[in-house]
Amino acid sequence: MRLFRGLWGRIGLVMFVTGLALSPGLWDSIRLLRMMGEGAIADYRLKQLPPEQYIAEIETALAVRDGDMARSLIALAEAQNVDVPAELVAELNALPPVDLGNVVSQGWNCIVNGDFDSEAGFACVVATDLTSVGDVRDLLAQGGNYLTGQPVNYFTLGIASVGLTLTGATIATGGGMLPLRAGASFLKAANKVGKMPPRLVAEVSTMLARSINRTALDEALAMARELRLGEIGKPLGRLFNPRSVAAVTDLTTDIGRIGTVGGVRAMKLSVEVADSTRDVKVLAKTAEKYQDKFPAVMKMLGRGLVRIADLLWTIGGWFVAAALWLLSMAWFTLRSTTKVARFTGRMMVRGRAVA
């Protein structure tokens, strides 16, 4: 019986490894999980879309004279081997490359209302932040609220503190840190006009609120009031714990990466669907993968780009099927070996009896 128990153990191990390798959907599920980590889950979703949907979105963009989106959609459709009618391409080419009236309007909207919807409006926001006036104002306002027990917008406070550091680094590197500075400017401006996802803001704000250093805040506020911006970096470096600072810096970096690829529109489309810093990181990786086609990817997939619940259900189903397959094989093998063991045992007993 020891012999058969040992044999069963070896057979079970072989069956498990073989079943795991051959079970339905296993390798597809592993590939999808890897794609999620690499920001390439869009590949899977885009392949599920019918060609007609690409054409419909291109026609819609052209109907409202949105040349940038139409151009991005056509590039994405061609990359997905979708045939775009020649008349749509001709209609796109007939649109003016730059709408000067819209550029002037957006710049004025930024100056008057502090809002932005285009590159022109956002250029005004970044230019304002590069003077440090906006960040100093926000630091004094929110830091003062903290010290006096008033409600604090920790998200604005954290972005402003990181923004002041990035402004100095941007100037020192001759603009080398501008994408990060732009990311911080976008986050702060979008939050002020109520266009940041509440869950994302809450995630960052909670982390910052739990790690604030009151002594460092006192020092930073004193220097900000005296505009000693060359010295303010030291207390700002101690204002929050390193983990919180890293989280805010990573967020601004990821938003900046998205902006570098697709501009203001890409950043706006991204924050509309991101509920966490993890979502933003996935979007940043996707933006770098698709480049100028990223706005079209966002238009076609929307929240589906970061919502993986349905994929997890699919993957879970595959693993359940694999587990049931393994259990059935194990049960079959156990029944078979048990019957063989019993039969052999009876034969051995009869053999001894005859002897």
Side-chain angles (χ1 to χ4, degrees):
M1 292 302 293
R2 283 187 205 160
L3 174 64
F4 284 107
R5 279 198 294 268
L7 180 61
W8 159 243
R10 289 177 175 81
I11 291 174
L13 179 61
V14 171
M15 291 298 299
F16 177 80
V17 173
T18 303
L20 200 60
L22 299 178
S23 57
L26 176 70
W27 299 112
D28 285 337
S29 62
I30 292 174
R31 180 173 61 85
L32 284 175
L33 289 170
R34 176 180 57 79
M35 286 169 62
M36 280 186 243
E38 295 176 355
I41 201 63
D43 284 345
Y44 174 83
R45 293 192 182 277
L46 288 171
K47 286 181 174 60
Q48 315 305 311
L49 300 179
E52 295 77 14
Q53 188 170 339
Y54 288 91
I55 304 303
E57 291 293 351
I58 294 170
E59 290 174 342
T60 300
L62 290 171
V64 296
R65 301 180 67 79
D66 190 346
D68 290 338
M69 180 57 74
R71 197 170 293 109
S72 182
L73 285 165
I74 288 176
L76 179 63
E78 292 174 345
Q80 295 295 317
N81 299 315
V82 175
D83 292 328
V84 180
E87 56 269 24
L88 294 182
V89 177
E91 188 176 346
L92 172 63
N93 293 334
L95 293 178
V98 179
D99 187 342
L100 294 178
N102 185 55
V103 169
V104 173
S105 173
Q106 291 298 329
W108 179 252
N109 188 41
C110 168
I111 294 171
V112 175
N113 302 317
D115 197 6
F116 57 93
D117 282 307
S118 70
E119 306 299 332
F122 186 58
C124 164
V125 174
V126 177
T128 301
D129 280 345
L130 281 173
T131 65
S132 297
V133 173
D135 286 331
V136 169
R137 179 194 62 226
D138 292 331
L139 177 65
L140 289 172
Q142 300 305 324
N145 286 349
Y146 179 85
L147 295 178
T148 58
Q150 302 297 314
V152 180
N153 188 324
Y154 287 99
F155 188 87
T156 297
L157 179 60
I159 297 295
S161 64
V162 170
L164 281 169
T165 303
L166 289 174
T167 296
T170 300
I171 296 172
T173 59
M177 301 293 285
L178 188 57
L180 273 70
R181 171 66 268 185
S185 297
F186 174 84
L187 289 169
K188 189 173 66 170
N191 187 48
K192 282 185 177 179
V193 296
K195 294 183 178 178
M196 286 294 295
R199 290 183 181 178
L200 175 58
V201 173
E203 176 190 343
V204 176
S205 299
T206 300
M207 188 182 304
L208 293 170
R210 291 174 177 172
S211 68
I212 194 167
N213 182 327
R214 187 186 182 96
T215 302
L217 180 59
D218 282 330
E219 294 178 29
L221 291 181
M223 292 181 182
R225 293 188 190 100
E226 300 172 9
L227 295 180
R228 292 158 56 191
L229 303 184
E231 307 169 49
I232 202 171
K234 289 185 178 179
L236 286 180
R238 296 182 285 106
L239 183 54
F240 300 104
N241 66 30
R243 181 169 172 268
S244 299
V245 173
V248 175
T249 302
D250 286 348
L251 179 60
T252 60
T253 300
D254 290 333
I255 289 292
R257 288 160 62 194
I258 294 171
T260 300
V261 168
V264 172
R265 167 169 277 181
M267 290 190 287
K268 281 199 161 188
L269 289 172
S270 296
V271 297
E272 286 174 2
V273 303
D275 283 334
S276 67
T277 54
R278 186 203 68 82
D279 286 349
V280 176
K281 190 166 295 295
V282 170
L283 289 166
K285 290 180 179 180
T286 307
E288 291 187 333
K289 175 181 175 63
Y290 285 92
Q291 295 294 312
D292 61 330
K293 297 184 285 293
F294 178 68
V297 173
M298 293 297 302
K299 183 69 173 177
M300 298 296 292
L301 300 180
R303 287 186 177 275
L305 187 56
V306 290
R307 296 282 77 80
I308 61 175
D310 55 334
L311 285 179
L312 291 179
W313 276 109
T314 301
I315 292 171
W318 286 341
F319 275 111
V320 168
L324 292 174
W325 190 90
L326 288 172
L327 287 172
S328 65
M329 291 302 298
W331 179 81
F332 173 79
T333 304
L334 178 60
R335 287 285 304 271
S336 300
T337 53
T338 301
K339 288 181 179 179
V340 171
R342 288 175 178 172
F343 176 77
T344 305
R346 286 197 298 267
M347 295 299 293
M348 292 175 64
V349 171
R350 290 178 183 174
R352 290 196 199 98
V354 172

